[in-house]
Amino acid sequence: MADIGIELLNMDLKNPVMPAAGSPVKDAKAASLAVKGGAGAIVTKTISVKGAEVSRPCIAKIEGGMLNSELWSELEPEIWLKEEYPKIKELGLPIIVGLGYSAEQIKTLAPQVAEFADCLELSTHYLGGDATPVVEAIKAAKSSVDLPVLVKLSPQVDIPKFAQAAEEAGADGIVLINSFGPCLDIDINSGKALLGNNYGYGWLSGRAIFPLALRCVFEAAQAVDIPIIGVGGISTGEDAIKMMMAGASAVQICTAAMVKGADIYGRVAQEMADFLEEKGYGSLAEIKGLALTEIKAEKNFKKEEPYVSGDCCQCNICVKVCPYDALVLDDKLEIDSDKCFGCGFCVTICPTEALKWSRR
């Protein structure tokens, strides 16, 4: 069987799948479910010097993802230190403790959580153009404790610039990405916002942001040499494999764990192992960064037509959606070469992968 164990910043993980710092790890009880669900490590919900005051409602499932206006943990740091962290320590997995948000707050908290942590993950949720607040947060943590420090970046910043600044400031790794926003959704029956925040604004997570997260990991992997943890919209082993191919060393899951349950971690890990086995890879190291060599900064203007394999189930979906009316299904599926533009929509929508590119 393919090996999916990894070493991350001196932590030995049985697999590279872990919770993201959010509701699925809101306390020790939730963390224990993640352990039972097959996580390779535990990331705790971000704390700050005071428990968060959160407007309600604060979480809404929407098409393609989730909106939330949660902040950091609602629990006071004293509760985490006296009750939650000790219980999580007993679970036996590496612990990455989430801290936020300013340099001053992180400098206060880091020494207090150090005895429970194998690593720190700093969340600043910073959206500006100057990386100074992120750099100061990293330096505050590194000067306070002798632990590896990860920093989580938002997708709205200049990823290569901030990633390089983080590495230069002493960060041991980067987590990409934080949720995207602010965003808005409305209850069509009342006209009111789905969330109880100012103007109903919230932050988008889940499947909708996966391509954005993947691009950010891909950019950061070309800019820095420190490990990257990919997070944002991951719900399958295929998603996690793509993150690894883009340069990630490990992955985190939040929204899918909330929607599908804590066994998502083990399921994704198993799907990763199955993929490696099926494709003949012996370990994750063999696919890590594969896309960094295969994807190039060049445009392809040459038309290429897909071809039909023998796996067509005759569902007719591709015929209905083809914008160029180039597909015809009678006794068998055929492509009209004169009409086909080579756009590729049919290849990506085919449920049985009967439509393929010859170059792939």
PDB file of all heavy atoms in Angstrom, residues 17 210 234-245 248 251 268 272 287:
ATOM      1  N   VAL A  17      -3.755  14.872   6.466  1.00  0.00           N
ATOM      2  CA  VAL A  17      -5.080  15.500   6.513  1.00  0.00           C
ATOM      3  C   VAL A  17      -5.415  15.892   7.945  1.00  0.00           C
ATOM      4  O   VAL A  17      -5.360  15.066   8.855  1.00  0.00           O
ATOM      5  CB  VAL A  17      -6.163  14.543   5.967  1.00  0.00           C
ATOM      6  CG1 VAL A  17      -7.511  15.251   5.891  1.00  0.00           C
ATOM      7  CG2 VAL A  17      -5.768  14.002   4.600  1.00  0.00           C
ATOM      8  N   PHE A 210     -12.153  26.486  -3.730  1.00  0.00           N
ATOM      9  CA  PHE A 210     -11.059  25.543  -3.954  1.00  0.00           C
ATOM     10  C   PHE A 210     -10.106  25.987  -5.074  1.00  0.00           C
ATOM     11  O   PHE A 210      -8.885  25.971  -4.884  1.00  0.00           O
ATOM     12  CB  PHE A 210     -11.594  24.139  -4.241  1.00  0.00           C
ATOM     13  CG  PHE A 210     -10.503  23.147  -4.563  1.00  0.00           C
ATOM     14  CD1 PHE A 210      -9.681  22.659  -3.569  1.00  0.00           C
ATOM     15  CD2 PHE A 210     -10.277  22.735  -5.867  1.00  0.00           C
ATOM     16  CE1 PHE A 210      -8.660  21.757  -3.864  1.00  0.00           C
ATOM     17  CE2 PHE A 210      -9.260  21.846  -6.178  1.00  0.00           C
ATOM     18  CZ  PHE A 210      -8.444  21.353  -5.161  1.00  0.00           C
ATOM     19  N   ILE A 234     -11.489  21.776   0.266  1.00  0.00           N
ATOM     20  CA  ILE A 234     -11.094  20.375   0.090  1.00  0.00           C
ATOM     21  C   ILE A 234     -12.160  19.467   0.698  1.00  0.00           C
ATOM     22  O   ILE A 234     -12.528  19.622   1.862  1.00  0.00           O
ATOM     23  CB  ILE A 234      -9.736  20.101   0.759  1.00  0.00           C
ATOM     24  CG1 ILE A 234      -8.639  20.932   0.088  1.00  0.00           C
ATOM     25  CG2 ILE A 234      -9.393  18.619   0.701  1.00  0.00           C
ATOM     26  CD1 ILE A 234      -7.330  20.926   0.830  1.00  0.00           C
ATOM     27  N   SER A 235     -12.640  18.516  -0.094  1.00  0.00           N
ATOM     28  CA  SER A 235     -13.639  17.573   0.425  1.00  0.00           C
ATOM     29  C   SER A 235     -13.414  16.145  -0.054  1.00  0.00           C
ATOM     30  O   SER A 235     -14.121  15.242   0.375  1.00  0.00           O
ATOM     31  CB  SER A 235     -15.048  18.018   0.036  1.00  0.00           C
ATOM     32  OG  SER A 235     -15.207  18.046  -1.371  1.00  0.00           O
ATOM     33  N   THR A 236     -12.441  15.938  -0.943  1.00  0.00           N
ATOM     34  CA  THR A 236     -12.161  14.611  -1.473  1.00  0.00           C
ATOM     35  C   THR A 236     -10.661  14.363  -1.522  1.00  0.00           C
ATOM     36  O   THR A 236      -9.862  15.305  -1.456  1.00  0.00           O
ATOM     37  CB  THR A 236     -12.721  14.441  -2.902  1.00  0.00           C
ATOM     38  OG1 THR A 236     -11.991  15.318  -3.795  1.00  0.00           O
ATOM     39  CG2 THR A 236     -14.202  14.767  -2.966  1.00  0.00           C
ATOM     40  N   GLY A 237     -10.305  13.096  -1.680  1.00  0.00           N
ATOM     41  CA  GLY A 237      -8.900  12.773  -1.856  1.00  0.00           C
ATOM     42  C   GLY A 237      -8.335  13.391  -3.108  1.00  0.00           C
ATOM     43  O   GLY A 237      -7.163  13.791  -3.147  1.00  0.00           O
ATOM     44  N   GLU A 238      -9.164  13.504  -4.144  1.00  0.00           N
ATOM     45  CA  GLU A 238      -8.719  14.132  -5.389  1.00  0.00           C
ATOM     46  C   GLU A 238      -8.326  15.583  -5.153  1.00  0.00           C
ATOM     47  O   GLU A 238      -7.305  16.053  -5.668  1.00  0.00           O
ATOM     48  CB  GLU A 238      -9.837  14.049  -6.426  1.00  0.00           C
ATOM     49  CG  GLU A 238      -9.492  14.629  -7.779  1.00  0.00           C
ATOM     50  CD  GLU A 238     -10.619  14.474  -8.787  1.00  0.00           C
ATOM     51  OE1 GLU A 238     -10.928  13.327  -9.139  1.00  0.00           O
ATOM     52  OE2 GLU A 238     -11.184  15.498  -9.215  1.00  0.00           O
ATOM     53  N   ASP A 239      -9.140  16.301  -4.365  1.00  0.00           N
ATOM     54  CA  ASP A 239      -8.802  17.694  -4.029  1.00  0.00           C
ATOM     55  C   ASP A 239      -7.457  17.760  -3.313  1.00  0.00           C
ATOM     56  O   ASP A 239      -6.613  18.617  -3.612  1.00  0.00           O
ATOM     57  CB  ASP A 239      -9.877  18.300  -3.122  1.00  0.00           C
ATOM     58  CG  ASP A 239     -11.248  18.370  -3.765  1.00  0.00           C
ATOM     59  OD1 ASP A 239     -11.324  18.436  -5.003  1.00  0.00           O
ATOM     60  OD2 ASP A 239     -12.243  18.354  -3.018  1.00  0.00           O
ATOM     61  N   ALA A 240      -7.277  16.873  -2.347  1.00  0.00           N
ATOM     62  CA  ALA A 240      -6.038  16.879  -1.569  1.00  0.00           C
ATOM     63  C   ALA A 240      -4.832  16.545  -2.440  1.00  0.00           C
ATOM     64  O   ALA A 240      -3.761  17.154  -2.292  1.00  0.00           O
ATOM     65  CB  ALA A 240      -6.153  15.886  -0.410  1.00  0.00           C
ATOM     66  N   ILE A 241      -4.996  15.614  -3.357  1.00  0.00           N
ATOM     67  CA  ILE A 241      -3.912  15.268  -4.279  1.00  0.00           C
ATOM     68  C   ILE A 241      -3.540  16.477  -5.131  1.00  0.00           C
ATOM     69  O   ILE A 241      -2.355  16.770  -5.366  1.00  0.00           O
ATOM     70  CB  ILE A 241      -4.313  14.083  -5.175  1.00  0.00           C
ATOM     71  CG1 ILE A 241      -4.388  12.787  -4.364  1.00  0.00           C
ATOM     72  CG2 ILE A 241      -3.357  13.934  -6.350  1.00  0.00           C
ATOM     73  CD1 ILE A 241      -3.067  12.259  -3.868  1.00  0.00           C
ATOM     74  N   LYS A 242      -4.529  17.202  -5.607  1.00  0.00           N
ATOM     75  CA  LYS A 242      -4.260  18.412  -6.400  1.00  0.00           C
ATOM     76  C   LYS A 242      -3.466  19.430  -5.588  1.00  0.00           C
ATOM     77  O   LYS A 242      -2.545  20.076  -6.106  1.00  0.00           O
ATOM     78  CB  LYS A 242      -5.576  19.033  -6.890  1.00  0.00           C
ATOM     79  CG  LYS A 242      -6.284  18.224  -7.954  1.00  0.00           C
ATOM     80  CD  LYS A 242      -7.586  18.901  -8.368  1.00  0.00           C
ATOM     81  CE  LYS A 242      -8.326  18.100  -9.431  1.00  0.00           C
ATOM     82  NZ  LYS A 242      -9.609  18.740  -9.830  1.00  0.00           N
ATOM     83  N   MET A 243      -3.825  19.587  -4.314  1.00  0.00           N
ATOM     84  CA  MET A 243      -3.078  20.502  -3.453  1.00  0.00           C
ATOM     85  C   MET A 243      -1.626  20.072  -3.331  1.00  0.00           C
ATOM     86  O   MET A 243      -0.706  20.899  -3.379  1.00  0.00           O
ATOM     87  CB  MET A 243      -3.724  20.563  -2.066  1.00  0.00           C
ATOM     88  CG  MET A 243      -4.946  21.452  -1.977  1.00  0.00           C
ATOM     89  SD  MET A 243      -4.501  23.203  -2.111  1.00  0.00           S
ATOM     90  CE  MET A 243      -6.091  23.965  -1.755  1.00  0.00           C
ATOM     91  N   MET A 244      -1.398  18.779  -3.175  1.00  0.00           N
ATOM     92  CA  MET A 244      -0.036  18.271  -3.073  1.00  0.00           C
ATOM     93  C   MET A 244       0.722  18.491  -4.382  1.00  0.00           C
ATOM     94  O   MET A 244       1.892  18.876  -4.380  1.00  0.00           O
ATOM     95  CB  MET A 244      -0.049  16.785  -2.725  1.00  0.00           C
ATOM     96  CG  MET A 244      -0.765  16.426  -1.429  1.00  0.00           C
ATOM     97  SD  MET A 244       0.096  16.913   0.067  1.00  0.00           S
ATOM     98  CE  MET A 244       1.348  15.661   0.187  1.00  0.00           C
ATOM     99  N   MET A 245       0.052  18.264  -5.503  1.00  0.00           N
ATOM    100  CA  MET A 245       0.688  18.489  -6.799  1.00  0.00           C
ATOM    101  C   MET A 245       1.044  19.958  -7.003  1.00  0.00           C
ATOM    102  O   MET A 245       2.015  20.285  -7.679  1.00  0.00           O
ATOM    103  CB  MET A 245      -0.229  18.007  -7.921  1.00  0.00           C
ATOM    104  CG  MET A 245      -0.328  16.506  -8.045  1.00  0.00           C
ATOM    105  SD  MET A 245      -1.380  16.008  -9.441  1.00  0.00           S
ATOM    106  CE  MET A 245      -1.065  14.237  -9.484  1.00  0.00           C
ATOM    107  N   ALA A 248       1.724  21.719  -1.931  1.00  0.00           N
ATOM    108  CA  ALA A 248       1.418  21.622  -0.504  1.00  0.00           C
ATOM    109  C   ALA A 248       2.079  20.398   0.111  1.00  0.00           C
ATOM    110  O   ALA A 248       2.249  19.367  -0.544  1.00  0.00           O
ATOM    111  CB  ALA A 248      -0.085  21.562  -0.285  1.00  0.00           C
ATOM    112  N   VAL A 251      -2.725  19.132   4.143  1.00  0.00           N
ATOM    113  CA  VAL A 251      -3.979  19.836   3.863  1.00  0.00           C
ATOM    114  C   VAL A 251      -4.820  19.935   5.124  1.00  0.00           C
ATOM    115  O   VAL A 251      -4.674  19.144   6.052  1.00  0.00           O
ATOM    116  CB  VAL A 251      -4.794  19.135   2.752  1.00  0.00           C
ATOM    117  CG1 VAL A 251      -4.036  19.131   1.440  1.00  0.00           C
ATOM    118  CG2 VAL A 251      -5.191  17.714   3.148  1.00  0.00           C
ATOM    119  N   VAL A 268     -10.752  11.122   3.233  1.00  0.00           N
ATOM    120  CA  VAL A 268      -9.878  11.810   2.284  1.00  0.00           C
ATOM    121  C   VAL A 268      -8.495  11.154   2.267  1.00  0.00           C
ATOM    122  O   VAL A 268      -7.902  10.951   1.199  1.00  0.00           O
ATOM    123  CB  VAL A 268      -9.771  13.314   2.621  1.00  0.00           C
ATOM    124  CG1 VAL A 268      -8.637  13.981   1.861  1.00  0.00           C
ATOM    125  CG2 VAL A 268     -11.089  14.013   2.307  1.00  0.00           C
ATOM    126  N   MET A 272      -6.677   9.361  -0.925  1.00  0.00           N
ATOM    127  CA  MET A 272      -5.334   9.715  -1.380  1.00  0.00           C
ATOM    128  C   MET A 272      -4.483   8.467  -1.555  1.00  0.00           C
ATOM    129  O   MET A 272      -3.785   8.297  -2.569  1.00  0.00           O
ATOM    130  CB  MET A 272      -4.669  10.667  -0.378  1.00  0.00           C
ATOM    131  CG  MET A 272      -5.328  12.024  -0.250  1.00  0.00           C
ATOM    132  SD  MET A 272      -4.537  13.057   1.013  1.00  0.00           S
ATOM    133  CE  MET A 272      -3.065  13.598   0.125  1.00  0.00           C
ATOM    134  N   ILE A 287       4.475  12.744  -5.863  1.00  0.00           N
ATOM    135  CA  ILE A 287       3.554  13.653  -6.574  1.00  0.00           C
ATOM    136  C   ILE A 287       3.668  15.097  -6.102  1.00  0.00           C
ATOM    137  O   ILE A 287       3.183  16.005  -6.764  1.00  0.00           O
ATOM    138  CB  ILE A 287       2.091  13.203  -6.436  1.00  0.00           C
ATOM    139  CG1 ILE A 287       1.634  13.275  -4.967  1.00  0.00           C
ATOM    140  CG2 ILE A 287       1.885  11.809  -7.005  1.00  0.00           C
ATOM    141  CD1 ILE A 287       0.154  13.358  -4.793  1.00  0.00           C
TER     142      ILE A 287
END
